[in-house]
Amino acid sequence: MKKVLVLGGGIGGVEAAIALRKEGFDVELVSDRDYVYIYPISIWIPTGETTLSDVSLPLGEVAMSHKFKFIKDKVISISASEGKVVLENFGEKTDFDYLVIAIGQTKLKHKGIEHTLSICGSPEETLEIRKRLEQLIDRGYGKLAFGFGGNPKAPEAVRGGPVFEVMFNVHNYLTKLGLRANFDITFFAPMPKPGARLGETALKMMDTMFRKMNIEKITGKKIKEFVEDGVILEDGTKIKSDLTIFTPAGDGHPVIKESDLPKTEAGFLKIEDSCQVEGFENIYAVGDVASIEGPDWRAKQGHLAEVMGRVTANNIAVKEGLKEGKIESYKPHINIMCLMDTGDGGALAYRSDKHALLIPLPVVGHWMKKAWGIYYKLSKLGKIPRLPGM
Ligand SMILES: Cc1cc2nc3c(=O)[nH]c(=O)nc-3n(C[C@H](O)[C@H](O)[C@H](O)COP(=O)(O)OP(=O)(O)OC[C@H]3O[C@@H](n4cnc5c(N)ncnc54)[C@H](O)[C@@H]3O)c2cc1C
């Protein structure tokens, strides 16, 4: 039985490992956390609606359920030409026929970034947002700033959705506590039309929500630096803030940047349509770690990472002659599909070449996203059947 080593136990790596097992491969998965951190439902941690354990899926249990081996360790380096992966504790690993890289991305480091916290960072950082928000609530008043940045070298790595979600959730949380009038909320982004990839209708709807929620919007001004009590913009103006929640755009993972693998200027792996890393027959890349080619509005998302995991498993199986079929491409699956939570409801954002929709789902949208979190956990543990395409 051929052996596949999967690096990274996030949404993409786990899906790849499960799909590879189904194709009959011997699979070993290495990740530096012993749980899948389910990012899409981590947005409720800051407002205390969920806990870290609610959004964590133990990798040991997933591995047992799908009969792959899990090693908790950190990847230090990858040498593609030598077919070698170096792990922090285990040391060198060369005992694999195929390598699937799914270690995600890191974020751009802006000046003064230490004065901000991101919802798209580590679980510890998200817990810190909760702590800092509660401190301000105890004080009874404050100024909150929410924003996200861009990466001109990798437009698809911009991650704005979760920032909007947390901001709307915080608005609703403060409203419930009867404290909203004591807090100023400002949204900022350097691009003139943040969220534009969702289309004009979505932008208009967001503007209406901002007005309804009394959120000040400052866009189209570059960020000069973050300081302890706010954000300095390029024109010298300052957004005063007691808590700045900011998500920089994605940047290539340091292990990839330092490797001999082919990468874009931003440090994302260059892959073919089949998810195979360019020039390396036995190396594949899945999810945020890879450079995604496609329409201008393309975005790195969890569902695309899962598709890439399944495409990779299929293509390795076809290559190995384990099944008849054709080499598949991840590209026809590029779309934006996101159930954007607003705390008291939600909206289904969908973007494809033909459609740009934002469908309001009052009340039910919130519970649909909650239900997806339960579905994700149970289906990955094999306790309920998978729904087609999910
Ligand atoms: C707050 C938030 C909300 C989101 N909401 C949605 C949504 O609603 N819908 C949607 O489709 N997408 C959403 N996304 C995007 C989605 O979560 C990502 O696209 C997806 O997680 C990418 O999967 P991945 O496996 O490539 O990376 P990740 O999920 O980031 O997983 C990477 C894994 O690799 C591990 N790792 C990293 N470095 C190393 C190392 N050196 N050694 C070993 N292991 C390592 C990490 O611990 C992690 O487990 C959201 C993202 C965030 C941050």
Side-chain angles (χ1 to χ4, degrees):
M1 204 191 288
K2 289 272 166 94
K3 180 169 170 182
V4 186
L5 179 64
V6 180
L7 305 180
I11 290 179
V14 161
E15 184 68 4
I18 294 172
L20 283 159
R21 279 296 301 132
K22 284 195 183 133
E23 299 291 359
F25 292 100
D26 176 15
V27 178
E28 196 166 66
L29 183 143
V30 175
S31 198
D32 58 358
R33 282 198 286 261
D34 58 6
Y35 57 91
V36 185
Y37 184 55
I38 314 167
Y39 277 112
I41 54 170
S42 69
I43 50 154
W44 295 303
I45 291 180
T47 47
E49 225 185 299
T50 44
T51 62
L52 182 55
S53 83
D54 292 333
V55 304
S56 305
L57 178 61
L59 277 168
E61 286 179 32
V62 183
M64 209 188 304
S65 167
H66 296 277
K67 300 188 172 50
F68 61 83
K69 188 174 170 195
F70 166 60
I71 301 175
K72 182 176 183 273
D73 210 337
K74 187 174 177 177
V75 179
I76 300 296
S77 66
I78 301 170
S79 169
S81 52
E82 294 172 282
K84 187 173 81 182
V85 172
V86 180
L87 305 182
E88 190 173 53
N89 300 314
F90 188 92
E92 286 186 11
K93 258 192 120 27
T94 51
D95 61 337
F96 53 86
D97 300 293
Y98 286 89
L99 183 65
V100 175
I101 306 173
I103 53 177
Q105 60 181 3
T106 178
K107 297 191 289 314
L108 288 175
K109 287 174 188 59
H110 299 268
K111 190 172 176 201
I113 197 73
E114 67 277 13
H115 300 299
T116 71
L117 290 168
S118 171
I119 184 67
C120 302
S122 65
E124 294 73 24
E125 200 172 341
T126 298
L127 291 172
E128 186 63 19
I129 298 177
R130 164 123 189 92
K131 195 176 114 193
R132 294 273 306 278
L133 184 63
E134 282 306 314
Q135 283 168 353
L136 289 173
I137 286 171
D138 285 346
R139 189 176 81 174
Y141 64 94
K143 292 183 190 305
L144 307 172
F146 293 83
F148 59 85
N151 183 350
K153 293 179 189 165
E156 82 277 17
V158 173
R159 190 151 279 159
V163 177
F164 289 127
E165 289 183 298
V166 174
M167 182 173 70
F168 296 147
N169 271 276
V170 168
H171 161 85
N172 280 309
Y173 183 46
L174 294 172
T175 307
K176 259 188 224 153
L177 295 174
L179 287 173
R180 180 63 182 89
N182 300 354
F183 282 82
D184 291 339
I185 300 184
T186 306
F187 170 76
F188 65 99
M191 51 294 258
K193 288 184 173 184
R197 60 163 56 127
L198 295 178
E200 283 298 322
T201 319
L203 283 184
K204 279 189 195 132
M205 218 165 115
M206 298 275 264
D207 275 344
T208 310
M209 285 170 78
F210 276 50
R211 274 195 300 275
K212 226 171 91 189
M213 295 183 185
N214 194 23
I215 294 171
E216 193 188 348
K217 185 174 144 192
I218 300 174
T219 57
K221 288 186 187 180
K222 289 210 172 74
I223 299 157
K224 194 170 161 220
E225 66 175 306
F226 295 98
V227 290
E228 206 180 341
D229 61 345
V231 189
I232 313 279
L233 302 174
E234 62 178 342
D235 61 0
T237 53
K238 181 175 183 179
I239 302 169
K240 286 200 170 167
S241 164
D242 299 304
L243 175 57
T244 305
I245 297 171
F246 177 73
T247 290
D251 192 21
H253 195 294
V255 166
I256 302 303
K257 284 187 175 176
E258 284 157 29
S259 75
D260 57 353
L261 289 155
K263 48 204 157 296
T264 61
E265 207 187 338
F268 294 109
L269 283 172
K270 286 190 181 175
I271 58 168
E272 296 177 359
D273 293 9
S274 64
C275 294
Q276 185 201 302
V277 172
E278 284 181 10
F280 291 92
E281 282 288 322
N282 70 334
I283 305 183
Y284 285 72
V286 163
D288 288 0
V289 76
S291 170
I292 305 296
E293 301 283 321
D296 287 351
W297 47 261
R298 70 197 185 281
K300 291 186 172 182
Q301 281 207 293
H303 72 87
L304 187 60
E306 292 209 316
V307 165
M308 291 169 84
R310 293 194 289 270
V311 163
T312 292
N314 173 76
N315 293 347
I316 298 178
V318 171
K319 208 184 251 181
E320 283 297 314
L322 293 184
K323 69 193 260 195
E324 283 184 16
K326 58 179 180 43
I327 296 292
E328 290 177 357
S329 163
Y330 73 94
K331 285 189 178 166
H333 305 274
I334 295 178
N335 59 37
I336 297 177
M337 170 97 81
C338 178
L339 194 50
M340 198 191 291
D341 187 67
T342 53
D344 56 356
L348 180 69
Y350 179 73
R351 179 79 204 245
S352 68
D353 275 334
K354 292 197 184 110
H355 304 285
L357 308 170
L358 191 69
I359 305 163
L361 298 168
V363 186
V364 72
H366 180 67
W367 295 107
M368 279 168 72
K369 189 144 185 159
K370 285 258 156 98
W372 176 84
I374 297 166
Y375 164 78
Y376 181 85
K377 281 182 155 187
L378 293 177
S379 61
K380 289 293 174 280
L381 290 172
K383 292 185 177 167
I384 55 167
R386 298 280 298 268
L387 299 172
M390 279 186 80

